[in-house]
Amino acid sequence: MGLTSPCVLLLLSALLISGNTQAATGDTDQEMEAAVNGSSGETTTAPPTATVNILSPPDPLYPGDTVTLQCDISQYEDWNYYFWYMNDQKYEDCTSKTCSIKLVHNNYQYSCAGRRSGRPQDSQRSAPSFITVTAVPKATLTVTPNPVYHGETVSLKCSVESGPAWSYRWYKDGTEIRVEQSGRHWISGDSLTISKVESSDQDQYWCTGEIQSRSISTLQSDSISITVKALPTATVNILSPPDPLYPGDTVTLQCDISQYEDWNDYFWYMNDQKYEDCTSKTCSIKLVHNNYQYSCAGRRSGRPQSSQRSAPSSITVTAVPKATLTVTPNPVYHGETVSLKCSVESGPAWSYRWYKDRPEIRVEQSGRHWISGDSLTISKVESSDQDQYWCTGEIPSRSISTLQSDSISITVKALPTATVNILSPPAPHYSGEVVSLQCDILENEDWSSYIWFINGQKYNGRTSKTCSFTLGHATVRYSCSGRRSGQSQTSQQSPDISITITALPTATVNILSPPAPLYPGDTVTLQCDISQYEDWNYYFWYMNGQYYKDFTSKTCSIKLDHNNVQYSCEGRRMRSGRPQDSQRSATSSIPVTALPKATLTVTNPVYHGETVSLKCSVESGPAWSYRWYKGRPEIRVEQSGRHWISGDSLTISKVESYDQGSYRCRGELRSLFSTDSDSTYLYVYALPTATVNILSPPAPHYPGDTVTLQCDISQYEDWNYYFWMINNNDYKDCTKKTCSIKLDQYGVQHSCRGRGSGRPQDSQFSAPSSIPVTALPKATLTVTPNPVYHGETVSLKCSVESGLAWSYRWYKDRTDIRVKQSGRHRISGDSLTISKVESSDQAHYWCTGVIPSRSISTVQSDSISMTVKDYVPTATLQSDKTDIYTGARVTLTCTVEGSSWWWFYWYRHTTDSDHVASSYWSPYSFTPASVSEGGQFWCRGERGYTDFYTQYSSPVHINVTARPYASVTLRPNWIQIFRGESVTLRCDIQGTEDTDWEYEWWRPGDSTPGWTEQEYKIISAEESYSGDYKCRGQRGKDHSVMSSAVKLTVKNRPQPVLRVSPSWLNPGDSVTLSCEVGDSSTGWSFSFYRAAPSLPDQPYSVELLSDREQTTGNSSTLQLAAPSHTAGYMCRAGRGETVYYSDYSNPQFHWSGDLHSSVSLSVSTNRSQQLVSESVSLSCELKGNSTGWTLRRYSGSELYTVCSSVSPSTCTIEPLNVEHSGVFWCESGSGEDSNAVNITVHVGSVILESPVHPVTEGDSVTLRCRHKTPPSSPEVDFYKDGNLIRKETTGEMTIPAVSQSDKGLYKCTYSDREESSQSWLLVRVPSSSVGLMVGLVVTGVLLFLLILMLLGWRKFKGAQSSGASISSQAQSTKRVLDGVQITNQNQAPGGNALLHHGQGVEAGPSHLTYAQIELKKMKKPKRKTGKQAESEEDTIYSNVATGPSSVGAGPSDLTYAKIELKKMKKPKRKTGKQAESEEDTIYSNAATGPSSGDAKADDVTYAQVDLKGKKAKKKSDMLTTREPDAVCSAVKTG
């Protein structure tokens, strides 16, 4: 050891010397390291490691950058030589500490090492350093704003995503044109700012970034086009007044600027000087003359900030014009109307003043003088109207007047008489000629229209001076009169003139050619023959009565189409004598025969090369020629080399495949064609094709096999000679159907064909076919099972892939030791079975396959080593889960370690029970349907079917629990809901106490679960939500049973139907409103409303009549106690906690004919029936303060607004038609309805004129039967309620004093049986009557006695009154709320609610008080004896309730009392005096009270007593009770 250290020192010294020498000669530092490591095994220190750092430039680095690298080595500072490496190759260009390299891409690695003079001499090389070269970025250009307006400043900004400090260059119009800084262009950093933008700045712009110190430039940015828009231009418009403008007018100008609306400052200029008086959008200036021009501009806060100034606008000032007066007609005749019109040329709406006799005498409007607009009309002109007239125009709103017109003198004359003169032709006159008449009136020529009369009747078809009439066959009388323009007055009518008619000659139609039969398409020549004259030179032809203008000569050629055409003709003698025209001939029909159909016959099929003939025939007789067609679209077959056409035949020789197809033919005659024949298909069959089949041996085929081939040809059996081709050469050795050939290793290609004696003679050659020759296969050996246990049976199977029936040979230990069949060795087919396996059977085995009949053997199989084991294995049982629900699937897996080919058995409960399943596959899965199918499970395996079993497995316990089930509940429980309604569906899991369930919902249309919460809430239902909803619970991988589906139906929001009964009111009638939701939905509550009229053309407002009434059904009724006026009603339904409302019903009405104190309707004709095309005016008369009115019509269940206005006025319907029939009434804007009228528009000629309003008892009424054209002596029948009541010759019927018995339906008929529609005649009680006063007193006394009797009866009878039928409020199912009575449909009636009047209803100006008493026939008690019976009478129960109205009674307050005496069931007869005093009992329950309003002079009180079913019966013994009839009394006091 002492010598080692000096030796090492000497060696290191030598190495240092040699190292310097090697550095000079270029040796590497690796050689130096090798020398050091070659020293003795002492521990060495690693040399310092170099590191490559980038000095400049900073990241990122781009292609083209020059990067400076530095090699840094720690620990020492005297490194004086450096080695640089690029991609592990020495880089000779750098030897110093720093190295500059120009970058190209990322694919270079750099490293370095250092060398120094001391120790250590060399550093370790640095780890390779990658330099990331970033692709040159692309500049991004943004422009703000864009577009930019003239004069604005636009800023362009260029940006580069990566980090260096880029400078930027700008380009315009092309990348070669650089934008430099200038007066309007300012470049600062990344921005280019262009101030005071001009149109020349509009262009494409680009930018690039650059790092000048590194000569790096970015990719150029995408170009951006800067759009420079002009500033919006102002326009000066004149608002008012309209042109022309006159001196002194004040004109209002408006400064309009398009595109923006927020201009808030305006500048006005007059003659280019700023006009400080105007700063808003409009400016008013008083005009003097034309010498001013105006312009404007605007300013706003947004962009653009200012507009361009408008072009100067001049205002034209027109001199005041002079009025012009015209008079039409002038002169004017007595009784006519003359119109004076004043006009001013310029355009404003002038008003006019009129002067007569002198310019200062002004003509004002009067009875005959009507001034309207620019016209003064003087009707029924008199001599005093003849004078001088002037006019002037004025514009009062502008204080402008025209110069006065020149005067015109009006002349007034007496009416002249007309004369009729015949202009042409002269007599005699023929029927059909046109005669020209002229109406001549001697005085004046300004007769603008004329009235012509034929046989004394006005002829409405002509109004001109000359009138042409076509003469008929009878003598006619003509006369005329004249009317001047705009005048109703006519001249005196002319005397009649008569024209006598002479008959015309008659024409006849004859057929010239062609001869029959005639076909559609034939051209037939007809001739028109006319006797008596020969100079007919113009003819008129008619087809089916219509003028046929194509022919005007004697003969006419017409192309026929079918039989339904008739022809006639007539002649004209033009430029000849009269008569000029003949009579038209009788119509003549031409028989047309339908075109026949061609028939095509052909012999089918035909084979290639044969000849075929096609024949065409037409049944009818003419000599037809024929045309031939083939295919679709049709191609005409012409004669050619192979196609020969002769007469009715087409012959095709040497048939080819393309001759096959559909053929048709047609016949041709006189340029007509028959109907095409049916298509006939010509079949061209190819020759039969032969097929070569291999008879034996079966495939695969091996080298040396002899194969037998057979030539098979389908379709025919008489092939008696065969041609064979082997490898494309004729094979003469075979001429029969079969041929035998020996195979070599290359195989054989073969084909054949046949020849026979019939058609076709030869077949086609079969396609060439090769016989594949297969190399001999290798046998495959399998051993099952392996390893095998002592005593088991093992099976060895030898297989060959090819499908032949191989036999097999077996070998053991060596390939030359063949295994033979023995006691334990059984060979069968492809298997060797060794039973009761022993240790000696453990060995290597082989096999081969052979085909003895073909001397073929396979290649021997690979060997397999069979292992024999000497113990019995135990099965292992596993389950994928042990706790499950019924219906869940569980899988048991049985395995035997280290072996296979087991058949497994599974047992439940005990191992000595029968197995529950067995299979070859280890996993056993089952789904328990009940809890009892759980328990203990075992398994074991059997090897094949050898009775060799494994040991039983350990048991596994499966616990089965009944599966929970889901159920869906609805809240509220409605399966039918409506759009917008809410419903909540809740999913509950039944049959388990577990609460940690998750939920799955299936909604309509869901194929997978769509909701996972327990409750599914529908906030606002839509129709798409209709369908089945189901749910189930989910816990982990388990789930509940799916719930039953809940079917939810969503319909449109319902609209209830409201019915009002009755629709027309009689005094005292109650009205029933019935509201029903027409659907099977339930749970509705109902509200009833009055449909209160509102402003004209506005919808009804609703006023609540009743609280919401809850029902269990879908309808409710409301009873109104005797309303007296027309009114409309609506209803709606609601249900649910958060109320869901239906739509409002359509308004329904009840109508009253009685006049209303605030609003009334009158009819101009004062009748209910009107004729079609007439007019009628209906007037709404309003009293008090109202905001307008609306006229309504109700017709066919539809409500119409006829017209409306904000002030009382009249509505005229002109002309009337049937659709205008209906009920009409007025509605005021303050919410009141007028009386109603029923108007019928009759389409016939007869109407009944009857009063449209109810008439008052005692008045005289006249009914008139009106005919549109009344006969001179009318005979009219009048009917009432369908019964004839009177015949009149005057056309009218008068009822001198109408009474209630005259009320009913009336109609009338004329003697020609034309009848009118029916109309109601309504009769109302007069407003005052002494008799009614007496009746009221009597009724009051009767009511008082009835009440006293009731009180006495109650005290006397006590509890016995419970047996009587008392109509008490407590027993009724109806409720009175706010003055109306409500009855629910579902409530069973428990009595009769007799009180129909209550409190809280705004009754309006006519209030009613009702009392109704029903006297019902009661069941009488048994007959009593003694005096008690004598005093017993029928008791009357009265239920009367009145109360003060909340509103003061109006001028027509009414009080009603109604008593009904109904049939009572009597008790049994009693004996003695007691029976003598017994009468029918009347029950009465009455209460009255005064109205809170002051009664007026015509207040009315009604009392009505009905005794129902009272028939007098005889009673035994001493007493017979008289049962009175119904007593009705109406009393009016005042």
Side-chain angles (χ1 to χ4, degrees), residues 85-89 106-111 128-131:
Y85 302 88
M86 181 186 295
N87 288 345
D88 279 336
Q89 300 297 319
N106 281 330
N107 298 331
Y108 290 99
Q109 295 177 340
Y110 300 90
S111 58
S129 176
F130 292 87
I131 296 179

Side-chain angles (χ1 to χ4, degrees), residues 108-246:
Y108 290 99
Q109 295 177 340
Y110 300 90
S111 58
C112 69
R115 175 166 288 169
R116 57 192 288 271
S117 55
R119 292 180 58 243
Q121 187 179 15
D122 292 284
S123 73
Q124 292 190 55
R125 195 198 299 184
S126 68
S129 176
F130 292 87
I131 296 179
T132 302
V133 181
T134 303
V136 173
K138 183 177 182 179
T140 301
L141 174 63
T142 56
V143 177
T144 306
N146 194 16
V148 61
Y149 292 93
H150 271 272
E152 287 187 325
T153 297
V154 63
S155 178
L156 294 85
K157 184 172 183 179
C158 194
S159 59
V160 181
E161 287 184 3
S162 54
W166 298 89
S167 58
Y168 297 92
R169 293 193 178 189
W170 305 88
Y171 302 90
K172 172 190 175 187
D173 192 27
T175 55
E176 65 279 1
I177 302 175
R178 185 170 173 184
V179 180
E180 303 290 352
Q181 189 148 319
S182 65
R184 294 190 302 107
H185 296 76
W186 178 259
I187 297 174
S188 174
D190 57 358
S191 296
L192 164 63
T193 302
I194 306 172
S195 58
K196 298 180 182 177
V197 169
E198 301 174 356
S199 299
S200 59
D201 295 318
Q202 180 168 307
D203 218 320
Q204 298 282 334
Y205 288 81
W206 294 262
C207 71
T208 58
E210 64 180 7
I211 307 173
Q212 294 177 345
S213 61
R214 293 162 58 182
S215 301
I216 300 296
S217 294
T218 66
L219 299 177
Q220 197 168 50
S221 71
D222 293 330
S223 68
I224 292 183
S225 178
I226 294 181
T227 303
V228 180
K229 288 188 175 183
L231 291 171
T233 303
T235 305
V236 174
N237 294 311
I238 299 174
L239 286 188
S240 66
D243 281 335
L245 303 173
Y246 301 105

Side-chain angles (χ1 to χ4, degrees), residues 1065-1259:
L1065 295 178
N1066 288 318
D1069 282 352
S1070 62
V1071 172
T1072 299
L1073 308 181
S1074 175
C1075 188
E1076 180 179 2
V1077 177
D1079 206 287
S1080 58
S1081 57
T1082 59
W1084 294 100
S1085 56
F1086 293 85
S1087 298
F1088 293 85
Y1089 304 87
R1090 178 171 177 258
S1094 186
L1095 293 174
D1097 293 328
Q1098 296 297 315
Y1100 286 102
S1101 60
V1102 292
E1103 298 175 357
L1104 183 64
L1105 290 177
S1106 74
D1107 292 335
R1108 293 174 54 221
E1109 179 68 12
Q1110 186 69 36
T1111 71
T1112 57
N1114 63 344
S1115 66
S1116 181
T1117 60
L1118 172 69
Q1119 213 164 41
L1120 305 178
S1124 59
H1125 296 298
T1126 298
Y1129 301 95
M1130 297 166 70
C1131 71
R1132 71 170 176 174
R1135 68 176 185 176
E1137 294 177 2
T1138 302
V1139 182
Y1140 172 84
Y1141 287 105
S1142 71
D1143 288 336
Y1144 284 96
S1145 69
N1146 289 328
Q1148 298 296 324
F1149 302 86
H1150 65 63
W1151 300 287
S1152 171
D1154 290 331
L1155 296 177
H1156 196 288
S1157 59
S1158 298
V1159 57
S1160 61
L1161 172 63
S1162 60
V1163 181
S1164 61
T1165 60
N1166 198 28
R1167 62 174 185 262
S1168 59
Q1169 292 187 21
Q1170 318 291 332
L1171 281 171
V1172 167
S1173 299
E1174 291 186 338
S1175 66
V1176 66
S1177 295
L1178 298 99
S1179 297
C1180 292
E1181 299 176 8
L1182 308 179
K1183 298 178 182 179
N1185 296 323
S1186 179
T1187 56
W1189 58 272
T1190 300
L1191 179 63
R1192 302 282 191 189
R1193 173 170 62 88
Y1194 191 86
S1195 177
S1197 76
E1198 294 293 334
L1199 181 64
Y1200 302 91
T1201 298
V1202 182
C1203 54
S1204 60
S1205 177
V1206 296
S1207 61
S1209 187
T1210 298
C1211 180
T1212 301
I1213 305 174
E1214 182 181 11
L1216 286 167
N1217 56 53
V1218 176
E1219 287 73 18
H1220 290 130
S1221 296
V1223 179
F1224 291 78
W1225 71 97
C1226 293
E1227 296 173 347
S1228 72
S1230 56
E1232 287 136 344
D1233 297 285
S1234 74
N1235 57 299
V1237 296
N1238 194 354
I1239 292 180
T1240 303
V1241 180
H1242 191 54
V1243 75
S1245 300
V1246 178
I1247 61 171
L1248 177 66
E1249 292 187 350
S1250 61
V1252 71
H1253 300 299
V1255 296
T1256 305
E1257 263 188 326
D1259 287 351

Side-chain angles (χ1 to χ4, degrees), residues 80 135 364 425 434 711 817 986 1471:
N80 48 24
E364 303 291 350
V434 177
C711 188
I817 301 176
R986 179 182 174 88
T1471 59

Side-chain angles (χ1 to χ4, degrees), residues 861-910:
S861 72
D862 295 330
S863 67
I864 291 182
S865 176
M866 186 174 71
T867 302
V868 179
K869 295 186 177 182
D870 58 357
Y871 61 90
V872 177
T874 300
T876 301
L877 177 63
Q878 292 177 320
S879 173
D880 62 340
K881 57 179 75 76
T882 57
D883 292 304
I884 61 171
Y885 289 122
T886 54
R889 190 172 183 83
V890 63
T891 299
L892 303 175
T893 304
C894 193
T895 56
V896 179
E897 186 179 358
S899 59
S900 58
W901 300 102
W902 295 96
W903 184 270
F904 292 97
Y905 297 88
W906 283 270
Y907 302 87
R908 187 174 64 196
H909 300 321
T910 61

Side-chain angles (χ1 to χ4, degrees), residues 271-282:
N271 291 341
D272 278 335
Q273 299 297 317
K274 194 166 184 181
Y275 188 59
E276 303 292 348
D277 292 346
C278 292
T279 58
S280 60
K281 187 173 185 176
T282 59

Side-chain angles (χ1 to χ4, degrees), residues 988-1009:
D988 292 306
I989 310 302
Q990 310 292 334
T992 178
E993 296 181 356
D994 295 321
T995 58
D996 55 340
W997 290 91
E998 294 179 352
Y999 299 88
E1000 296 176 322
W1001 286 90
W1002 279 262
R1003 299 169 297 184
D1006 285 348
S1007 57
T1008 58

Side-chain angles (χ1 to χ4, degrees), residues 1281-1340:
D1281 298 331
N1283 301 315
L1284 178 65
I1285 58 171
R1286 197 179 299 182
K1287 291 180 177 288
E1288 296 288 350
T1289 58
T1290 61
E1292 61 183 39
M1293 177 189 108
T1294 300
I1295 305 173
V1298 72
S1299 66
Q1300 289 294 329
S1301 61
D1302 295 315
K1303 180 169 60 178
L1305 277 171
Y1306 287 80
K1307 71 173 182 179
C1308 67
T1309 61
Y1310 266 83
S1311 53
D1312 56 4
R1313 309 320 299 165
E1314 287 190 87
E1315 70 176 25
S1316 70
S1317 300
Q1318 295 188 108
S1319 286
W1320 269 102
L1321 179 64
L1322 297 175
V1323 181
R1324 63 186 174 198
V1325 178
S1327 58
S1328 61
S1329 172
V1330 175
L1332 291 180
M1333 177 64 74
V1334 175
L1336 178 60
V1337 173
V1338 173
T1339 303

